Amino acid sequence: MRWRLPLGLATLLVLGVVVGVVLSSAGSGSDGSDPGATRSAQTATMPARTPKIPHGALVARVSDRVVGRPIKAGFLGFSFEFQAVRAYTGSDPDRINPVLEQLIRNVAPGQAPVIRIGGDSTDVSYAPGPGVRPPGYEGYQLTPSWMATTGALAHQLGARIIVGLNLAANDPSLAAAEARRYVEAFGRGAIEALEIGNEPNVYANVTVFHTAGGDRIHARAPDYGYPQFVDEFGAIAAATPSLPLAGPTLAVGPTPSANSWIDTVPGFLRQEPRVKLMTVHRYPLRNCFVAPSSPQYPTVSHLLAGYATVGLAASLHPWIASAHAEHRQLRVDELNSVACRGKRGISDTFASSLWVTDALFALARAGVDGVNLHTLPKSSYELFEFNRSDGRWRAWVRPVYYGLQLFAQASPPGSRLLRLRGPKTSSHVSVWATRAPDGRVRVVLINKDPSRSRTIAVRLPRGVGTAATVERMQAPSVHSKRGVTLGGRSYGRRTYTGTLGPLQTRAASGGAGTYLVELPRGSAALLTTGG
């Protein structure tokens, strides 16, 4: 459960804590790792005495009580646009970019990663072939070569693919042809679900395409709404192979609005029994259609505020409840810091690392069943960038990726969030704890204050082990675009392997079930106990 309180005389807010198995991540690469990050993880015998808690320290009490659902394998995945796939994989299905594969494995170790291929490009993409009429606007052809490389990526990773079908063209035969090509290229076993359309609730007033001559075409007429959508969805579903479906793929905001279609969801799920995954898209901040006075306006302080984490999770409660009431999973299969391709100086800074770790825990605590982080080449919120030279791939790993890897370390499959209690705390401090199936407890502590360090006294349940270590995620400042380290390791300016060097941890200060963790300003730490 998440632990957060406002400054001053604010009351305690208890939201949950998460438990997990630490990954040592001892990789074979040396991609610019910190020179000091060469020691293997240390452990220490727990002293017999409880340490004295310094004046001004915040106290987090972790209980044995689990809250929420287990964090399942595949909880954290990626979301790629159709046109982006080849920029990541390369064009040779026999030589898929190995650095990409490793970066995907890092956040889903020992799991079948869930990769969603969709986004705005869903409704311009189509698979050419006999009897397929291209859309009446500029489209992106899913050629046999595209199918081959995408299929190769899925097979080599053992991935589960959520893949989009074009709804905007309003042509069931076109969508059915796409689905058949996916089955041929990926195999049925690799397809998690076919996702029909992309954000149809904004077709009438946002989604616009262009003809070859530059003319604008609106996806639908101004009076388009749920009744038309559900008929179109049903027609495409009836034309496609009998695979699980994902939908309604809605753009949702901080509060349900007139065009959110929230009231239609129960009926939609009952009418479409093949819809296995209820999918929505959510960004805490926006780089378009928002005034500077709005809490959604992209700034570092807004990204590090509770609005972007616990507020983000709270906004999804109605959608989670609707999905679970109909015995479906709710997956946020498009998430990142700032909608509309991110914002320079915000999405590409270390602030995004702290935000994403905190937000993922908040979403897990709220009951979300899975999340896909969206990435797009040349966008401000991209997770990584690739280049191939002289037959060798290299990657530039952005700060936000480190936050994904920290979350993955603290929440291996089957982890349960633990309830946490504490006194008044800073609104900048978040604490999450998990217990993994092997009994190990991990506590993630996040200090999002860019100007003040904090000391956290973590009191653990009895019998959680006799040793504890601390691993840190930090950077020169929350505004940094470089110099990020996780466990003393870094991907450096570039990586040719996608792996980190040996993990560096320190023995936790304290004992008898109480540990003192110093949190420098704008940093995070992972406290790991023995089983």
Side-chain angles (χ1 to χ4, degrees), residues 240-440:
T240 59
S242 58
L243 288 163
L245 301 178
T249 324
L250 303 178
V252 302
T255 56
S257 59
N259 70 340
S260 71
W261 301 355
I262 180 65
D263 295 333
T264 68
V265 168
F268 170 75
L269 294 176
R270 288 192 290 268
Q271 183 171 329
E272 296 293 342
R274 282 174 57 196
V275 175
K276 171 186 174 183
L277 295 176
M278 179 179 161
T279 53
V280 297
H281 303 162
R282 185 75 170 88
Y283 293 78
L285 309 181
R286 294 165 57 191
N287 198 26
C288 53
F289 312 117
V290 63
S293 59
S294 169
Q296 291 183 276
Y297 190 78
T299 67
V300 166
S301 60
H302 284 174
L303 186 62
L304 295 179
Y307 176 88
T309 54
V310 292
L312 173 84
S315 72
L316 292 170
H317 285 160
W319 306 93
I320 297 166
S322 292
H324 291 172
E326 298 299 327
H327 309 289
R328 305 304 213 286
Q329 295 182 42
L330 188 286
R331 192 168 188 99
V332 182
D333 70 347
E334 185 174 320
L335 171 77
N336 210 310
S337 57
V338 184
C340 305
R341 302 176 68 93
K343 181 72 172 179
R344 297 289 178 195
I346 299 165
S347 303
D348 55 354
T349 67
F350 183 59
S352 66
S353 308
L354 301 174
W355 162 76
V356 78
T357 304
D358 201 13
L360 288 169
F361 280 125
L363 292 168
R365 175 65 183 92
V368 168
D369 296 291
V371 177
N372 293 80
L373 263 290
H374 197 59
T375 184
L376 180 66
K378 308 304 180 185
S379 65
S380 300
Y381 57 41
E382 66 181 348
L383 306 178
F384 30 59
E385 180 182 355
F386 298 98
N387 173 266
R388 189 180 186 187
S389 179
D390 298 326
R392 191 180 186 192
W393 285 95
R394 60 181 176 177
W396 291 262
V397 177
R398 305 308 182 201
V400 65
Y401 179 88
Y402 289 81
L404 300 180
Q405 199 160 355
L406 176 60
F407 174 83
Q409 288 182 246
S411 57
S415 294
R416 300 296 302 269
L417 291 157
L418 297 178
R419 184 172 295 280
L420 183 138
R421 301 181 185 277
K424 298 173 182 177
T425 114
S426 165
S427 60
H428 290 292
V429 174
S430 297
V431 182
W432 301 94
T434 63
R435 185 186 292 276
D438 65 359
R440 303 185 80 183

Side-chain angles (χ1 to χ4, degrees), residues 416-479:
R416 300 296 302 269
L417 291 157
L418 297 178
R419 184 172 295 280
L420 183 138
R421 301 181 185 277
K424 298 173 182 177
T425 114
S426 165
S427 60
H428 290 292
V429 174
S430 297
V431 182
W432 301 94
T434 63
R435 185 186 292 276
D438 65 359
R440 303 185 80 183
V441 171
R442 284 177 177 74
V443 182
V444 174
L445 307 106
I446 306 170
N447 180 11
K448 294 183 289 185
D449 192 327
S451 59
R452 182 183 179 186
S453 299
R454 301 305 297 252
T455 299
I456 313 293
V458 180
R459 290 182 171 172
L460 298 170
R462 294 181 179 179
V464 297
T466 58
T469 59
V470 175
E471 172 187 353
R472 298 190 178 276
M473 183 175 75
Q474 52 194 359
S477 81
V478 296
H479 301 281

Side-chain angles (χ1 to χ4, degrees), residues 71-78 107-115 160 162 192 329 331 369-372 407 411-414:
I71 299 175
K72 296 182 179 179
F75 176 89
L76 177 57
F78 296 96
V107 301
Q111 305 165 49
V114 177
I115 300 174
R160 302 283 297 170
I162 301 170
E192 182 77 4
Q329 295 182 42
R331 192 168 188 99
D369 296 291
V371 177
N372 293 80
F407 174 83
S411 57

